[in-house]
Amino acid sequence: MSTVSVSKGVFAFKRQHGLSSDKSCKKRRPSAKVKSTVPNWPGDDESTSPLQEENYLKCWDSVSQTLQGLEKNIHETVFRELVEFVSNQTLRCGKQFNEDSLDDGSIPAAVLVMGVNMPDSSMVLSSLDHLLKKNNVASHVVSLNSRNCGTLRQCITHLADQLINGSSSAAEEESCDDSSYSSSSSSSDEEDDLAEEKTTPKKSKSHSGTVKRSCLNMNVLEAWYKEQKQESPGSDDGKIVVMVEDVESFPTSVLEDFIQVVSTHLVPLVLVLCVATSAAALHARLSQPILARLSLTSFRAQPSHSYLATLVQEVLMDGAVSSMRLGGRALRLLLDMFLYHHFSVKIFIQGLKYCMLEHFLSTPASVICCPAEDRRRVLNSLTAAQLNDIRKLPSFRSYTDKLPIIDQVPLLIDDKHFKDWVVTQLQVLDDHHHNLVRVLRLLHPFASTTPHAPLGRQLWSLLALSLNGQLVEGMGDVLNHLSSVPRDQLISPLPLAILALCGATHPTCLWWLVPLRKVELLDELLNMDDLDKTTTPDSPPSSGGAAPLLPSDRFKLKEKLQEMAKKKQAKPSKFAVVRSKVVEIIDCLVKEFCVVPSTLALHEAVYFDDAGVVSSGLMGKHRAAINKALTNPAAYLHCECCKDSKDWNSPSLPDLSIVYRLHLECGRLINLYDWLQAFCACVQVRKNNLIEVKNNAPEDTDEDVNKNTPKKRKNAAVKKSQENDDGVTPQLQARFVQAVSELQLLGFVKTSRRKTDHVARLTWGGY
C-alpha cells in the first residue's frame, strides 16, 4: 500500500482480516526435533564450548521440566477449588441490583490469599488463566492491576478493551516477557495448545474490528455481551472471570466504585480478588454496603517457603534432575536473598539459572558436568590439551600430592587411565551427594523439633550448613536434646528417619539401618515404661540400721546423694539404652557422610560455589557503580577518547567527573569559590592539551584558513574580554553550576545552613 504525503514519515498499517497474507503471518510452532541453542554463546568449534553449551541445555531442560511439574502440583488444590467455584456459579450475578434483595444482585467473588511474594502473583494468575480456559469454565478471563487502573475510567476501559478488542492481559504480558523456566516447548505443551485452539470459539466477524478506547464503557460492554449471547446461544454459560492482581494497591474509592458500577449492569462477572495478607484486609478496606454486593469465598494458595522447600528437595537435592549442584556459599546467598529481600520463588529460580550459566561459561572443567551415561562419550572426545585443563584443577593437585609417586605417574601421563579415574571420581561425587541427602532427611525430623531450632526448621538450612561444613559443629545441641527427650517425642520422628535412610546405597548406611528397622526396637519403645520399676525416686533406699542424718550433717548428706546418683547412672533404664543407641547412630552417620564436597577431587566440575560473582550479578551495589562511573567513565562508555579518562588532563573527561574527583579531596564543608577555581584550572589544562594536539596535527587546508573569518576573531575577543581576573568565564561558571547540580541530584552534596557559600559533603566521611 502506497502513501502520498507532503512530509516524510513512517506509516504503520494494521493488517486487515481476510487478506491472503494472514495465512503466512500465522505464528509457527517450533518443532520439537530442532535443537535449541543459546544465542551468543562464546567460543568456537575447536574449544569445549559446544560441549558446555550442550551440557547446559540438557541440565536446564531437565530442571525446567521438573519445575513445571512442581508448579502444577503446588497449586493443584487451590486451582481445583477455584475452578469448581467458578463452574458452580450461575447467572444470578447478571441481574439488576435490587436494593430490597441484596442477594439477587451479589457478585460471586473469590478472595485468593497469595502472600507477600508479588513477583510470583503474575505467574500464578497466568497459570490459573490457562486452566480456566482449558476447562471451558469461563468464556473470557480478564486481569486488572493497580498500575493501569488508577481511576474508575481506566478500570472500565481496560476491562472492556480486553473483552471487546481482545487485548492481552497484564498477567499474560508479564508471563511472556519474563518467562520463569521455559526453554523449549515440549510436545505435550504443543498438543495442549492445539487442543485449546480447537475448543476455543472463534471470534465473530461482526466484531473483527476494534473499538476506540475512548468509546469503551459499561453500556458498550453490555451491548457486546448481549450480541455475543445471541450469536452463540448455549455454547457456555457466558461467565467472565475478572482477576484483580493486587487489591491492597488499588485506591479504595476506585475499587468501591468499580464494584458498584459492575453490579448494576447485566454482565455476569466472577471476581477473583488477590490479597497479599489475609481476607480481613479486604473487609477493612471496603465499606459495608459494598461488601453486601459481594458473595465472598476465601481461598489460600501455598506460601512461598513451602514451594521453595519442595523445589530444594526435588531439584537441588535430587541428583537425577540436575548434573550441576550449588555449593554452600552460593546456596546460602540465594536463600538469604529469598528470605530477606524478595521472598519470591520466581526470582530464586532466575538466580539458579544465573548460577548454572556462570558455571558452564566460566569453568573449563564443566565440560564433564553431564549425565552419567554421557561422561564416557564426552571424555573420549576431549583432546590432550583439554584433559590437561582438568588436571590443572586445585582439587586434583591436592589429591595427587597425597598419593605416592607410583600412583601419580599414570594419572599425569596416561590419558586412558586418567579418563577411567575421572569417571570413577565423578561417580564418587554422585554417591556422596546421594548419601548426604539421605542423612539430612534422616536428621531433619529430629533437628526441626529441637527447641529454638539451632540448625533451622527447614531442610534447606541443613543442606546449606552441611555444604559449608558447619553441620557437625552445630550438632551438639541437637544430640543433647535427643539424649533427654521422652518416649513420645522419640517415637514420632523415628519412622520418617527410617524411611529416609531406606534409599541409601552406601554399606555403612545399610549397616546402621538394620538396628533402626528392627521390629523389636519399635516394640520396646511402644511398650516399655519410662521409669524403672525397681527404683522409686521419691523414696530413696536407706540403710536399715544406720542412724538418720541430721540437718546439720550437710557434707554427709551431699556424699550420700552423690552415691545414689552414681548407682542410678550405673543402672540405666531400658528406654535410656535404646535412646542412647539412636543418638549414637545419628551422630555416626552425620560425622561420616556430612563431609564438605570441597574436600573431594574434581568438585569444581560439578559444584558451583562462587558467591562473589552471584552477588555482583544479582545484587546491585549502586554506590560502588556510581563511584566507578564517575571516577573512571571509560569503564561504562567504552569509547576511544575515554581510554585515558583516569588522567586529570584527559580532554574527553566529563565535567561531572572533574567536579566529583575534586570533591573527594575536600573535607566536610566545600567552598564553592575554591571548587570553581580548581575546576577552571583543570579545564584550562585540558584546553591547553587539546591545543597542543591540534598544533601537532597536519597543516590546515585553504578551506580551514577561510573559516578564520573576522567575525570569528571578533567573537574570540569578546570571550576574552568577558573573562574575570581569575579566568572564569560565564560558560565555565554555567558548566560548573550544572555539574554541581547533577552531583547534588546524585546525593553526594547538599546546601549548608552554616555557610551560604559552602556545600556539605554527604558520603565517604562527610556528614
Side-chain angles (χ1 to χ4, degrees), residues 301-315:
Q302 287 290 336
S304 294
H305 60 83
S306 62
Y307 188 11
L308 181 64
T310 308
L311 187 149
V312 170
Q313 295 183 34
E314 299 295 333
V315 177

Side-chain angles (χ1 to χ4, degrees), residues 372-475:
E373 59 271 11
D374 298 337
R375 290 170 182 170
R376 179 66 65 177
R377 176 184 59 83
V378 171
L379 285 171
N380 292 333
S381 63
L382 297 180
T383 61
Q386 294 169 354
L387 291 175
N388 289 332
D389 292 337
I390 301 177
R391 290 189 178 100
K392 294 178 183 178
L393 294 176
S395 61
F396 176 76
R397 181 177 179 180
S398 60
Y399 175 81
T400 54
D401 290 342
K402 299 177 183 178
L403 297 176
I405 300 178
I406 300 176
D407 297 335
Q408 291 182 9
V409 174
L411 292 176
L412 299 175
I413 297 177
D414 190 358
D415 291 341
K416 183 179 180 181
H417 180 74
F418 178 70
K419 293 177 182 178
D420 296 337
W421 177 83
V422 169
V423 174
T424 305
Q425 189 60 32
L426 291 177
Q427 186 62 39
V428 170
L429 289 172
D430 293 343
D431 295 340
H432 168 266
H433 180 76
H434 177 78
N435 295 321
L436 173 65
V437 169
R438 294 296 176 182
V439 173
L440 292 180
R441 288 179 176 174
L442 177 142
L443 179 62
H444 178 247
F446 300 102
S448 59
T449 57
T450 305
H452 306 293
L455 299 180
R457 300 192 183 278
Q458 298 291 342
L459 190 58
W460 69 61
S461 301
L462 297 178
L463 180 62
L465 290 174
S466 62
L467 294 177
N468 287 319
Q470 302 173 355
L471 183 63
V472 179
E473 300 176 358
M475 280 294 297

Side-chain angles (χ1 to χ4, degrees), residues 489-689:
Q489 296 183 13
L490 185 63
I491 292 175
S492 56
L494 195 58
L496 298 176
I498 295 174
L499 183 63
L501 204 61
C502 286
T505 58
H506 197 274
T508 307
C509 293
L510 298 177
W511 185 75
W512 283 114
L513 184 62
V514 174
L516 286 177
R517 295 183 64 179
K518 280 185 177 180
V519 183
E520 293 82 2
L521 178 62
L522 292 176
D523 292 340
E524 289 178 359
L525 289 175
L526 291 173
N527 299 325
M528 70 176 53
D529 295 332
D530 291 339
L531 298 177
D532 196 358
K533 297 180 179 180
T534 58
T535 60
T536 55
D538 295 337
S539 57
S542 58
S543 57
L549 294 176
L550 298 177
S552 59
D553 300 337
R554 292 180 299 173
F555 296 102
K556 294 182 180 180
L557 180 61
K558 182 179 180 181
E559 294 176 357
K560 192 67 174 179
L561 292 175
Q562 290 178 354
E563 291 178 0
M564 293 170 57
K566 290 180 181 180
K567 291 180 180 180
K568 188 175 182 180
Q569 293 178 359
K571 296 181 180 180
S573 61
K574 294 181 180 180
F575 170 70
V577 174
V578 175
R579 182 175 58 188
S580 62
K581 185 183 298 183
V582 173
V583 173
E584 182 184 0
I585 292 174
I586 295 175
D587 188 18
C588 293
L589 288 174
V590 170
K591 289 182 180 179
E592 183 172 357
F593 293 101
C594 292
V595 182
V596 183
S598 58
T599 59
L600 303 176
L602 300 183
H603 70 273
E604 297 93 346
V606 180
Y607 287 89
F608 176 78
D609 201 19
D610 195 349
V613 175
V614 181
S615 177
S616 61
L618 299 181
M619 300 178 64
K621 300 177 181 179
H622 308 291
R623 175 178 288 187
I626 294 174
N627 182 26
K628 183 178 180 180
L630 296 179
T631 306
N632 184 18
Y636 292 94
L637 297 179
H638 300 291
C639 56
E640 295 293 334
C641 60
C642 295
K643 288 184 178 180
D644 299 331
S645 60
K646 294 183 179 180
D647 187 10
W648 283 83
N649 301 331
S650 176
S652 62
L653 194 65
D655 295 340
L656 181 60
S657 297
I658 297 177
V659 172
Y660 176 76
R661 291 183 180 184
L662 292 172
H663 116 281
L664 292 178
E665 299 178 357
C666 301
R668 184 171 61 89
L669 293 177
I670 306 175
N671 192 327
L672 288 174
Y673 181 77
D674 297 339
W675 201 1
L676 175 61
Q677 291 297 323
F679 172 76
C680 294
C682 294
V683 173
Q684 187 64 33
V685 172
R686 292 169 52 197
K687 184 178 180 181
N688 295 337
N689 292 338

Side-chain angles (χ1 to χ4, degrees), residues 37 100 161 164 181 183 200 253 302 615 637 640 671 709 721:
T37 57
D100 298 334
D161 189 22
I164 299 176
Y181 33 75
S183 57
T200 304
S253 58
Q302 287 290 336
S615 177
L637 297 179
E640 295 293 334
N671 192 327
T709 58
S721 62

